[in-house]
Amino acid sequence: MTQPEVHLYRAADYPRMPWRNGGGTTQEVACNAGGSAAAFDWRLSIADVAQDGGFSAFTGYQRIITVLEGPGIQLTVDGSEQAPLAPRQAYAFSGDAQVQCRLLDGPIRDFNLIYAPTRWHARLQWVAGVGPWTFYSAARDVLVLTADGALTVRIDGKPQALPSRYDCLHAESMDGLTEYRLETEALLDACVIELLPRSA
């Protein structure tokens, strides 16, 4: 079994860009190899939302959003008001939908996974509490975002350090099941994303 190829994306280096609709700004965390903000199969980003308003459309994509900082938001999706979304609660919706966002009590920062469901299976989960936490995955791409300081991710026993808040580890594996273990001296607060290409 070969060791996955590992990339560390540092929060301090994330490029900032305007939303497609001009209503806010986004920092791109990662996207598929060869992808860009304009054309991608999957993409992770952190957005700053300072006021109520509409979300950009991403036709043909699926979206999963989580509040990172701030009290929360309430979304109206295709005219249907959704339950308030508190921090660390993930919410999935179609990129084709018309989405309005209302801030519950001031600005927020959110974390987004946007992916093409015709080409990728995706799983997103938040890990919180006392560690360590171990999981096994056969996904082609596994990404771990630390939301509260330094984190170590052991990949088949080999340690990889995420030194700072919002740093992201990206492991690309083409060879079977891999063991991942999340360790920290404080409480765990991390997001784990698994991406597996759909068969042609």
Side-chain angles (χ1 to χ4, degrees):
M1 180 179 292
T2 59
Q3 188 79 8
E5 183 177 345
V6 177
H7 311 273
L8 174 63
Y9 306 124
R10 298 300 305 274
D13 300 328
Y14 296 157
R16 186 176 292 274
M17 59 197 70
W19 292 358
R20 284 186 173 183
N21 67 5
T25 60
T26 289
Q27 290 178 284
E28 183 175 274
V29 176
C31 68
N32 60 281
S36 68
F40 55 85
D41 282 352
W42 59 262
R43 179 185 179 217
L44 302 181
S45 61
I46 295 173
D48 291 296
V49 185
Q51 60 189 11
D52 298 351
F55 279 12
S56 303
F58 284 87
T59 303
Y61 289 88
Q62 181 75 9
R63 302 185 63 175
I64 305 176
I65 186 172
T66 305
V67 174
L68 288 176
E69 300 175 31
I73 55 175
Q74 186 165 31
L75 301 181
T76 299
V77 181
D78 286 335
S80 178
E81 191 173 84
Q82 305 300 304
L85 195 63
R88 305 303 184 270
Q89 291 179 327
Y91 178 76
F93 58 98
S94 171
D96 298 65
Q98 292 187 344
V99 180
Q100 293 292 318
C101 171
R102 181 176 67 84
L103 301 173
L104 296 183
D105 188 21
I108 63 109
R109 175 171 283 184
D110 64 40
F111 181 56
N112 298 272
L113 166 63
I114 306 175
Y115 67 97
T118 58
R119 296 190 289 275
W120 292 85
H121 296 281
R123 182 186 185 200
L124 180 150
Q125 58 183 319
W126 280 91
V127 181
V130 177
W133 186 73
T134 301
F135 69 101
Y136 297 84
S137 180
R140 220 273 301 278
D141 294 86
V142 173
L143 297 107
V144 179
L145 181 94
T146 176
D148 190 23
L151 177 71
T152 296
V153 180
R154 292 187 180 273
I155 303 176
D156 283 337
K158 184 176 180 180
Q160 304 285 346
L162 283 73
S164 304
R165 189 182 197 191
Y166 300 146
D167 287 350
C168 182
L169 188 79
H170 178 196
E172 295 181 84
S173 177
M174 302 293 290
D175 186 22
L177 200 65
T178 301
E179 180 188 71
Y180 297 86
R181 180 180 172 92
L182 277 55
E183 301 174 347
T184 178
E185 293 182 1
L187 294 178
L188 287 171
D189 185 8
C191 188
V192 175
I193 297 109
E194 297 167 82
L195 294 155
L196 186 68
R198 289 185 180 272
S199 300

mmCIF file of all heavy atoms in Angstrom, residues 168-191:
data_model
loop_
_atom_site.group_PDB
_atom_site.id
_atom_site.type_symbol
_atom_site.label_atom_id
_atom_site.label_comp_id
_atom_site.label_asym_id
_atom_site.label_seq_id
_atom_site.Cartn_x
_atom_site.Cartn_y
_atom_site.Cartn_z
ATOM 1 N N CYS A 168 -5.673 23.577 6.436
ATOM 2 C CA CYS A 168 -6.371 22.424 5.866
ATOM 3 C C CYS A 168 -5.362 21.413 5.341
ATOM 4 O O CYS A 168 -4.403 21.771 4.641
ATOM 5 C CB CYS A 168 -7.287 22.883 4.728
ATOM 6 S SG CYS A 168 -8.265 21.562 3.967
ATOM 7 N N LEU A 169 -5.567 20.141 5.673
ATOM 8 C CA LEU A 169 -4.745 19.039 5.180
ATOM 9 C C LEU A 169 -5.507 18.314 4.080
ATOM 10 O O LEU A 169 -6.700 18.020 4.231
ATOM 11 C CB LEU A 169 -4.429 18.065 6.310
ATOM 12 C CG LEU A 169 -3.425 16.962 5.981
ATOM 13 C CD1 LEU A 169 -2.014 17.508 6.044
ATOM 14 C CD2 LEU A 169 -3.579 15.800 6.952
ATOM 15 N N HIS A 170 -4.833 18.024 2.980
ATOM 16 C CA HIS A 170 -5.448 17.338 1.842
ATOM 17 C C HIS A 170 -4.627 16.093 1.526
ATOM 18 O O HIS A 170 -3.456 16.189 1.166
ATOM 19 C CB HIS A 170 -5.485 18.285 0.634
ATOM 20 C CG HIS A 170 -6.055 17.675 -0.606
ATOM 21 N ND1 HIS A 170 -5.877 18.241 -1.855
ATOM 22 C CD2 HIS A 170 -6.808 16.562 -0.801
ATOM 23 C CE1 HIS A 170 -6.495 17.490 -2.762
ATOM 24 N NE2 HIS A 170 -7.060 16.465 -2.144
ATOM 25 N N ALA A 171 -5.235 14.935 1.696
ATOM 26 C CA ALA A 171 -4.578 13.662 1.395
ATOM 27 C C ALA A 171 -5.224 13.046 0.163
ATOM 28 O O ALA A 171 -6.439 12.853 0.119
ATOM 29 C CB ALA A 171 -4.688 12.714 2.583
ATOM 30 N N GLU A 172 -4.394 12.748 -0.843
ATOM 31 C CA GLU A 172 -4.864 12.114 -2.070
ATOM 32 C C GLU A 172 -4.355 10.677 -2.105
ATOM 33 O O GLU A 172 -3.152 10.439 -2.073
ATOM 34 C CB GLU A 172 -4.338 12.858 -3.299
ATOM 35 C CG GLU A 172 -4.855 14.271 -3.449
ATOM 36 C CD GLU A 172 -4.292 14.921 -4.702
ATOM 37 O OE1 GLU A 172 -4.857 14.710 -5.795
ATOM 38 O OE2 GLU A 172 -3.272 15.628 -4.581
ATOM 39 N N SER A 173 -5.279 9.728 -2.148
ATOM 40 C CA SER A 173 -4.907 8.323 -2.112
ATOM 41 C C SER A 173 -5.568 7.589 -3.271
ATOM 42 O O SER A 173 -6.744 7.801 -3.568
ATOM 43 C CB SER A 173 -5.341 7.688 -0.790
ATOM 44 O OG SER A 173 -5.055 6.311 -0.773
ATOM 45 N N MET A 174 -4.820 6.699 -3.909
ATOM 46 C CA MET A 174 -5.359 5.900 -5.011
ATOM 47 C C MET A 174 -5.364 4.413 -4.666
ATOM 48 O O MET A 174 -5.574 3.579 -5.533
ATOM 49 C CB MET A 174 -4.511 6.124 -6.275
ATOM 50 C CG MET A 174 -4.423 7.570 -6.729
ATOM 51 S SD MET A 174 -5.992 8.237 -7.315
ATOM 52 C CE MET A 174 -6.180 7.313 -8.832
ATOM 53 N N ASP A 175 -5.131 4.079 -3.396
ATOM 54 C CA ASP A 175 -4.816 2.686 -3.078
ATOM 55 C C ASP A 175 -5.491 2.231 -1.791
ATOM 56 O O ASP A 175 -4.870 2.157 -0.743
ATOM 57 C CB ASP A 175 -3.298 2.531 -2.977
ATOM 58 C CG ASP A 175 -2.873 1.076 -2.799
ATOM 59 O OD1 ASP A 175 -3.666 0.190 -3.164
ATOM 60 O OD2 ASP A 175 -1.773 0.847 -2.293
ATOM 61 N N GLY A 176 -6.796 1.949 -1.852
ATOM 62 C CA GLY A 176 -7.476 1.262 -0.760
ATOM 63 C C GLY A 176 -7.737 2.078 0.485
ATOM 64 O O GLY A 176 -7.755 3.305 0.487
ATOM 65 N N LEU A 177 -7.903 1.350 1.599
ATOM 66 C CA LEU A 177 -8.319 1.922 2.864
ATOM 67 C C LEU A 177 -7.134 2.551 3.594
ATOM 68 O O LEU A 177 -6.073 1.962 3.699
ATOM 69 C CB LEU A 177 -8.942 0.822 3.731
ATOM 70 C CG LEU A 177 -9.845 1.237 4.883
ATOM 71 C CD1 LEU A 177 -11.094 1.928 4.371
ATOM 72 C CD2 LEU A 177 -10.235 0.004 5.699
ATOM 73 N N THR A 178 -7.364 3.762 4.127
ATOM 74 C CA THR A 178 -6.325 4.490 4.851
ATOM 75 C C THR A 178 -6.835 4.850 6.238
ATOM 76 O O THR A 178 -8.004 5.196 6.408
ATOM 77 C CB THR A 178 -5.933 5.777 4.092
ATOM 78 O OG1 THR A 178 -5.467 5.433 2.783
ATOM 79 C CG2 THR A 178 -4.841 6.542 4.821
ATOM 80 N N GLU A 179 -5.940 4.758 7.237
ATOM 81 C CA GLU A 179 -6.301 5.126 8.606
ATOM 82 C C GLU A 179 -5.916 6.587 8.856
ATOM 83 O O GLU A 179 -4.799 7.009 8.563
ATOM 84 C CB GLU A 179 -5.572 4.238 9.614
ATOM 85 C CG GLU A 179 -5.918 4.599 11.067
ATOM 86 C CD GLU A 179 -5.048 3.860 12.072
ATOM 87 O OE1 GLU A 179 -3.845 4.185 12.156
ATOM 88 O OE2 GLU A 179 -5.573 2.977 12.750
ATOM 89 N N TYR A 180 -6.873 7.337 9.423
ATOM 90 C CA TYR A 180 -6.645 8.733 9.809
ATOM 91 C C TYR A 180 -6.941 8.868 11.301
ATOM 92 O O TYR A 180 -7.956 8.378 11.788
ATOM 93 C CB TYR A 180 -7.564 9.678 9.028
ATOM 94 C CG TYR A 180 -7.319 9.668 7.534
ATOM 95 C CD1 TYR A 180 -7.953 8.724 6.724
ATOM 96 C CD2 TYR A 180 -6.472 10.596 6.940
ATOM 97 C CE1 TYR A 180 -7.733 8.714 5.347
ATOM 98 C CE2 TYR A 180 -6.251 10.582 5.569
ATOM 99 C CZ TYR A 180 -6.887 9.643 4.785
ATOM 100 O OH TYR A 180 -6.673 9.622 3.432
ATOM 101 N N ARG A 181 -6.045 9.566 12.008
ATOM 102 C CA ARG A 181 -6.214 9.770 13.451
ATOM 103 C C ARG A 181 -5.986 11.249 13.756
ATOM 104 O O ARG A 181 -4.913 11.796 13.455
ATOM 105 C CB ARG A 181 -5.218 8.898 14.228
ATOM 106 C CG ARG A 181 -5.305 9.019 15.752
ATOM 107 C CD ARG A 181 -4.262 8.093 16.379
ATOM 108 N NE ARG A 181 -4.145 8.263 17.817
ATOM 109 C CZ ARG A 181 -4.825 7.552 18.717
ATOM 110 N NH1 ARG A 181 -5.674 6.629 18.314
ATOM 111 N NH2 ARG A 181 -4.647 7.746 20.006
ATOM 112 N N LEU A 182 -6.987 11.893 14.342
ATOM 113 C CA LEU A 182 -6.910 13.312 14.678
ATOM 114 C C LEU A 182 -6.526 13.455 16.139
ATOM 115 O O LEU A 182 -7.176 12.871 17.023
ATOM 116 C CB LEU A 182 -8.261 13.999 14.427
ATOM 117 C CG LEU A 182 -8.577 14.447 12.984
ATOM 118 C CD1 LEU A 182 -8.456 13.309 11.991
ATOM 119 C CD2 LEU A 182 -9.956 15.086 12.911
ATOM 120 N N GLU A 183 -5.471 14.249 16.395
ATOM 121 C CA GLU A 183 -4.967 14.428 17.754
ATOM 122 C C GLU A 183 -4.748 15.911 18.030
ATOM 123 O O GLU A 183 -4.286 16.659 17.164
ATOM 124 C CB GLU A 183 -3.630 13.693 17.932
ATOM 125 C CG GLU A 183 -3.695 12.199 17.674
ATOM 126 C CD GLU A 183 -2.313 11.545 17.709
ATOM 127 O OE1 GLU A 183 -1.307 12.288 17.683
ATOM 128 O OE2 GLU A 183 -2.243 10.305 17.770
ATOM 129 N N THR A 184 -5.055 16.342 19.266
ATOM 130 C CA THR A 184 -4.799 17.709 19.684
ATOM 131 C C THR A 184 -4.668 17.750 21.198
ATOM 132 O O THR A 184 -5.210 16.884 21.899
ATOM 133 C CB THR A 184 -5.926 18.664 19.229
ATOM 134 O OG1 THR A 184 -5.656 19.983 19.707
ATOM 135 C CG2 THR A 184 -7.275 18.206 19.741
ATOM 136 N N GLU A 185 -3.938 18.741 21.693
ATOM 137 C CA GLU A 185 -3.802 18.890 23.142
ATOM 138 C C GLU A 185 -5.053 19.517 23.750
ATOM 139 O O GLU A 185 -5.294 19.401 24.949
ATOM 140 C CB GLU A 185 -2.570 19.738 23.459
ATOM 141 C CG GLU A 185 -1.261 19.058 23.081
ATOM 142 C CD GLU A 185 -0.049 19.894 23.444
ATOM 143 O OE1 GLU A 185 -0.247 20.990 24.014
ATOM 144 O OE2 GLU A 185 1.081 19.449 23.175
ATOM 145 N N ALA A 186 -5.842 20.200 22.932
ATOM 146 C CA ALA A 186 -7.102 20.786 23.389
ATOM 147 C C ALA A 186 -8.256 19.898 22.911
ATOM 148 O O ALA A 186 -8.048 18.741 22.544
ATOM 149 C CB ALA A 186 -7.221 22.208 22.847
ATOM 150 N N LEU A 187 -9.467 20.435 22.910
ATOM 151 C CA LEU A 187 -10.613 19.696 22.393
ATOM 152 C C LEU A 187 -10.596 19.717 20.873
ATOM 153 O O LEU A 187 -10.194 20.698 20.248
ATOM 154 C CB LEU A 187 -11.921 20.311 22.904
ATOM 155 C CG LEU A 187 -12.178 20.212 24.403
ATOM 156 C CD1 LEU A 187 -13.480 20.918 24.764
ATOM 157 C CD2 LEU A 187 -12.224 18.759 24.861
ATOM 158 N N LEU A 188 -11.027 18.633 20.265
ATOM 159 C CA LEU A 188 -11.118 18.570 18.820
ATOM 160 C C LEU A 188 -12.202 19.505 18.303
ATOM 161 O O LEU A 188 -13.290 19.586 18.880
ATOM 162 C CB LEU A 188 -11.425 17.143 18.366
ATOM 163 C CG LEU A 188 -10.308 16.106 18.464
ATOM 164 C CD1 LEU A 188 -10.865 14.716 18.177
ATOM 165 C CD2 LEU A 188 -9.184 16.436 17.491
ATOM 166 N N ASP A 189 -11.893 20.202 17.233
ATOM 167 C CA ASP A 189 -12.873 21.021 16.516
ATOM 168 C C ASP A 189 -12.407 21.066 15.072
ATOM 169 O O ASP A 189 -11.624 21.927 14.677
ATOM 170 C CB ASP A 189 -12.961 22.421 17.123
ATOM 171 C CG ASP A 189 -14.059 23.267 16.489
ATOM 172 O OD1 ASP A 189 -14.849 22.715 15.692
ATOM 173 O OD2 ASP A 189 -14.123 24.478 16.777
ATOM 174 N N ALA A 190 -12.865 20.094 14.291
ATOM 175 C CA ALA A 190 -12.354 19.932 12.932
ATOM 176 C C ALA A 190 -13.462 19.434 12.015
ATOM 177 O O ALA A 190 -14.423 18.801 12.448
ATOM 178 C CB ALA A 190 -11.183 18.958 12.912
ATOM 179 N N CYS A 191 -13.294 19.729 10.737
ATOM 180 C CA CYS A 191 -14.222 19.248 9.712
ATOM 181 C C CYS A 191 -13.493 18.253 8.827
ATOM 182 O O CYS A 191 -12.367 18.518 8.378
ATOM 183 C CB CYS A 191 -14.744 20.416 8.886
ATOM 184 S SG CYS A 191 -16.068 19.957 7.741
#
